[in-house]
Structures are given as structure tokens and as C-alpha cells.
Amino acid sequence: MKILLDFDGVMVITPTWRPVEQADDGFMTFDEVCAANLAEIVAQTGADIVLTTTHRIHYDNETWRTLLANRGIHTNNVSKVNVASQFTELGNRCEEVLAWVAANPNEHFVIIDDDKSLRGLPEHIKGKWVETSFHDGLTEKRKAQTLAILLTNS
């Protein structure tokens, strides 16, 4: 079970006119409500995190696991939607998700993201997308939607 996770507009909901706060570990501070909601989703489902965020290029998977744990999100495994490096151009989010789904055909997953390009996903994949808003991120309602997708055997 996997959560394909973006950060901006999901975990970080700082208005664009205000600088994003940095935590002691040097990475962005997550909104407390959004982080608590994701922590609860992971605790209830045991899901692993697959990073779709453009920030994924900055650290290796184990460092990401530590950064998430520092924010109260304890997952067994963190991976990335692709293996882009700092020297590789990041792709279109919709295309990256489609490639990940094609490479993981038997994986049960949910996508939590505010990227509007995901509206172009085929319906059978789009039904696993929880569309967040940059202004409020992973709300209680979206947490419930995420849990419903993950806890359904579809």
C-alpha cells in the first residue's frame, strides 16, 4: 500500500507571499494539522510513502524517512516516483504518476496532491487521487477520503 505524496499544497500551506518556515533539520515546516492527518493515515494503514514532490531530488530515501519522522510521520519506507537527480529535469506530474502506476501495476495506492495536471489522469487512476488545495492542504475531509481509498480493496 502506497501514498504518492506531494508537499506544497498538501503538507505546506504557507501563502506564497510569506516565506516558508524552516525546521531545525533544515527542511520546510509542515502545517501541524496536515502532518497530524498524514501521520494518522500512515498509522492506520501502514502505507509507505512515494514522493512525487519536486523536493524529492534534495535528499536520499532514508533522509526523507528521517525528515518525515521529525514531523511525526512514521513510515517504514520512503521512495520516489522516479529516480530524478539534481541534474535531471523533473517531468510533468501526470506523466510521472502514469509511469509509476505502469511500473507498479499490482500496487494499491492513493495520490495526495494539488497539481492540476493530474486532472488528465485516466478515470481509473484519477479515482485514487485526493485533490488538495494549496490554501488548506490535507484537511480532515481529505484524510477521510484518503482512508476510504486505501482501506478499500480496489
Side-chain angles (χ1 to χ4, degrees):
M1 188 174 308
K2 307 282 191 224
I3 299 170
L4 281 69
L5 182 67
D6 182 29
F7 289 156
D8 297 313
V10 178
M11 306 308 299
V12 178
I13 57 173
T14 304
T16 54
W17 51 266
R18 201 172 90 212
V20 177
E21 290 183 37
Q22 302 294 307
D24 291 340
D25 58 18
F27 192 67
M28 298 182 296
T29 301
F30 288 173
D31 176 82
E32 289 181 18
V33 171
C34 298
N37 285 337
L38 181 59
E40 187 175 334
I41 292 165
V42 171
Q44 283 191 38
T45 64
D48 293 332
I49 304 278
V50 178
L51 298 175
T52 60
T53 177
T54 56
H55 298 286
R56 70 185 180 267
I57 65 173
H58 299 300
Y59 303 106
D60 63 33
N61 295 346
E62 189 57 32
T63 302
W64 278 120
R65 198 167 80 75
T66 300
L67 290 169
L68 289 168
N70 290 348
R71 287 150 182 79
I73 303 157
H74 302 281
T75 184
N76 291 324
N77 189 38
V78 175
S79 60
K80 300 172 186 175
V81 75
N82 66 21
V83 292
S85 72
Q86 294 176 8
F87 307 106
T88 306
E89 185 174 325
L90 294 171
N92 169 283
R93 184 73 48 87
C94 186
E95 292 170 3
E96 290 176 336
V97 168
L98 285 171
W100 184 89
V101 171
N104 298 276
N106 299 318
E107 192 66 63
H108 188 55
F109 66 92
V110 66
I111 306 159
I112 308 174
D113 204 317
D114 70 329
D115 191 312
K116 305 299 182 231
S117 75
L118 296 178
R119 291 179 179 169
L121 289 169
E123 290 302 318
H124 71 284
I125 299 172
K126 194 172 8 179
K128 296 178 181 236
W129 175 35
V130 176
E131 183 177 4
T132 61
S133 164
F134 190 82
H135 303 291
D136 55 11
L138 186 57
T139 61
E140 286 288 323
K141 180 179 177 182
R142 292 182 183 114
K143 175 181 76 175
Q145 184 183 359
T146 299
L147 285 168
I149 293 167
L150 286 175
L151 297 174
T152 301
N153 290 331
S154 57

